[in-house]
Amino acid sequence: MAMKKAALSTVQSVLSSSSFSTRLVRHIHASPGSKKIVGVFYKANEYAAMNPNFVGCAEGALGIRNWLESQGHQYIVTDDKEGPNCELEKHIPDLHVLISTPFHPAYVTEERIKKAKNLQLLLTAGIGSDHIDLKAASDAGLTVAEVTGSNVVSVAEDELMRILILVRNFLPGYHQVASGDWNVAAISHRAYDLEGKTVGTIGAGRIGKLLLQRLKPFNCNLLYHDRLKMDPDMENQTGAKFEEDLDKMLPKCDVIVVNMPLTEKTKGMFNKEKIAKLKKGVLIVNNARGAIMDTQAVADACSSGHIAGYSGDVWYPQPAPKDHPWRGMPNQAMTPHTSGTTIDGQLRYAAGVKDMLDKYFRGQEFPAQNYIVKEGQIASQYR
């Protein structure tokens, strides 16, 4: 008994004197009592009622409202996230958990983190937590986590679609039909087969690997650049060749797909100088993050024809302003940020968020791959 008391005294002493342990408590364990949880999702309006599985919108609220409220927690959901008088800002001082998505991101700045005195947990419903100031979150001892793997199939399928749309010059044909025109030559003069083309992915994580697997039946020449080389079995399965030097890979590619996270190193990476290294007439697909590209440099290269086509669903900022330069680019196939928020993807990331909240309430660990910031350490891919 005396030994137990001594051990307990030692633990309490460590907890009270160590800033690390303060972070540990904030990271892993929910303090007792009701929690205030705020979710920021896009508004669906009239579309909310059209599909009972449409859980990723503000009205659907990830399908966890009844579950949370039945346990005595407060659940606030809004789409209003910008400016000093927005709905989100009202709840920053006393919320415990903030849930956001890459599709309608609530930008969690250092300033907001400092105001959020009760904040313990930042969850991304989906993949990609670059809307959060990760250093500030780390310094504050917060846990940042996302539902890793939840929409990789959705995004990889979307990337394959975009490659085909660009290669086959699909959109001008669609616009002709919609406007009542008929001019085969205007489409076919720049439509090609995908077979035999060189396609390179910058980043070969979960999404990149799935894309390479889906491209293999098209008999392309597949290249990939990544921090890590794939294991030999995966290389054999995809038929993809590792390119250690990105600058040497870029001029070889007819199609480039961006599949890397946004970090301080990759922000604005595709600037005028980098684009100049690309093959003239290259096609680019970017479903990763808009800020990886130098916005004006891409627009200028599309206008000059150096980039023959650009497609993606990521912009910076999001939502994109009406005067964003990419809206008016020639040969673009841009959409709002939708690739990872299919209904199937929504159901997966909603289930993942619920699982992590349940573990948070119980003081249990999340799946290791879901952590972006844990115990003050930022995951290696975001450093």
Side-chain angles (χ1 to χ4, degrees):
M1 189 66 169
M3 290 180 65
K4 286 184 178 179
K5 285 183 178 180
L8 179 59
S9 175
T10 301
V11 170
Q12 287 173 336
S13 174
V14 170
L15 287 175
S16 63
S17 63
S18 169
S19 60
F20 169 79
S21 59
T22 300
R23 287 183 174 186
L24 185 64
V25 172
R26 290 187 72 180
H27 273 253
I28 296 174
H29 302 292
S31 53
S34 174
K35 294 289 169 289
K36 183 173 184 178
I37 299 156
V38 176
V40 178
F41 313 114
Y42 54 81
K43 196 90 167 171
N45 299 311
E46 70 272 21
Y47 302 105
M50 292 184 177
N51 189 332
N53 291 322
F54 192 1
V55 295
C57 59
E59 293 86 347
L62 299 184
I64 58 176
R65 181 178 295 283
N66 290 342
W67 173 69
L68 285 172
E69 292 180 350
S70 70
Q71 298 187 54
H73 302 297
Q74 184 183 9
Y75 188 31
I76 307 292
V77 173
T78 183
D79 70 320
D80 184 16
K81 61 189 179 68
E82 303 292 343
N85 299 315
C86 70
E87 185 66 20
L88 171 60
E89 202 68 29
K90 297 174 187 176
H91 301 289
I92 290 289
D94 63 346
L95 58 79
H96 297 90
V97 180
L98 177 59
I99 309 169
S100 184
T101 75
F103 319 106
H104 188 73
Y107 292 102
V108 183
T109 61
E110 182 179 9
E111 181 183 10
R112 279 181 164 170
I113 287 173
K114 286 179 179 177
K115 289 180 183 177
K117 301 301 183 185
N118 292 338
L119 181 60
Q120 296 173 320
L121 178 61
L122 291 160
L123 291 179
T124 297
I127 304 170
S129 298
D130 46 84
H131 55 283
I132 299 167
D133 185 326
L134 297 182
K135 183 180 184 305
S138 172
D139 291 344
L142 303 176
T143 294
V144 181
E146 59 189 37
V147 192
T148 299
S150 59
N151 52 24
V152 293
V153 170
S154 311
V155 177
E157 287 184 358
D158 187 271
E159 289 177 342
L160 178 57
M161 173 191 72
R162 290 176 191 277
I163 292 171
L164 289 168
I165 281 173
L166 291 178
V167 169
R168 301 304 294 265
N169 202 26
F170 172 84
L171 279 180
Y174 166 76
H175 290 311
Q176 278 191 26
V177 170
S179 63
D181 294 332
W182 189 280
N183 186 343
V184 173
I187 303 160
S188 58
H189 81 286
R190 55 187 304 275
Y192 297 88
D193 295 338
L194 182 54
E195 184 176 63
K197 301 299 182 293
T198 297
V199 182
T201 175
I202 308 173
R206 291 176 175 84
I207 296 171
K209 288 185 180 73
L210 286 178
L211 176 65
L212 291 170
Q213 290 172 328
R214 283 154 175 74
L215 282 168
K216 186 176 182 181
F218 287 88
N219 297 320
C220 304
N221 177 31
L222 299 177
L223 307 176
Y224 76 96
H225 170 80
D226 199 277
R227 295 180 303 121
L228 303 171
K229 198 172 187 290
M230 289 192 290
D231 64 69
D233 288 343
M234 181 58 71
E235 279 197 344
N236 290 334
Q237 187 186 126
T238 61
K241 178 185 174 186
F242 178 62
E243 293 279 344
E244 186 173 4
D245 189 328
L246 177 61
D247 286 344
K248 289 183 179 178
M249 183 185 90
L250 293 177
K252 301 176 184 178
C253 296
D254 301 297
V255 181
I256 290 170
V257 186
V258 180
N259 274 315
M260 57 186 165
L262 175 65
T263 67
E264 286 304 313
K265 289 183 179 179
T266 64
K267 188 174 183 179
M269 175 178 154
F270 273 85
N271 53 22
K272 184 178 180 180
E273 291 71 31
K274 186 72 75 177
I275 289 172
K277 299 177 188 293
L278 308 179
K279 180 185 290 189
K280 189 175 184 344
V282 68
L283 304 174
I284 298 178
V285 170
N286 177 16
N287 279 3
R289 286 296 180 266
I292 292 171
M293 321 302 285
D294 180 318
T295 298
Q296 194 58 51
V298 169
D300 292 344
C302 284
S303 295
S304 72
H306 193 100
I307 296 175
Y310 185 93
S311 184
D313 72 334
V314 287
W315 308 68
Y316 185 77
Q318 290 188 178
K322 291 185 178 181
D323 62 350
H324 195 289
W326 291 357
R327 290 184 184 267
M329 292 191 306
N331 303 321
Q332 57 91 354
M334 295 296 297
T335 63
H337 195 170
T338 58
S339 64
T341 188
T342 61
I343 296 299
D344 302 286
Q346 289 175 38
L347 292 172
R348 288 190 292 266
Y349 63 67
V353 167
K354 182 179 179 182
D355 177 67
M356 286 193 290
L357 284 173
D358 187 51
K359 286 180 167 58
Y360 162 70
F361 298 141
R362 295 171 184 269
Q364 298 173 354
E365 293 274 344
F366 299 160
Q369 69 272 17
N370 287 12
Y371 285 105
I372 304 303
V373 178
K374 181 185 180 186
E375 296 175 12
Q377 296 295 315
I378 301 174
S380 58
Q381 69 267 35
Y382 282 92
R383 293 176 199 162

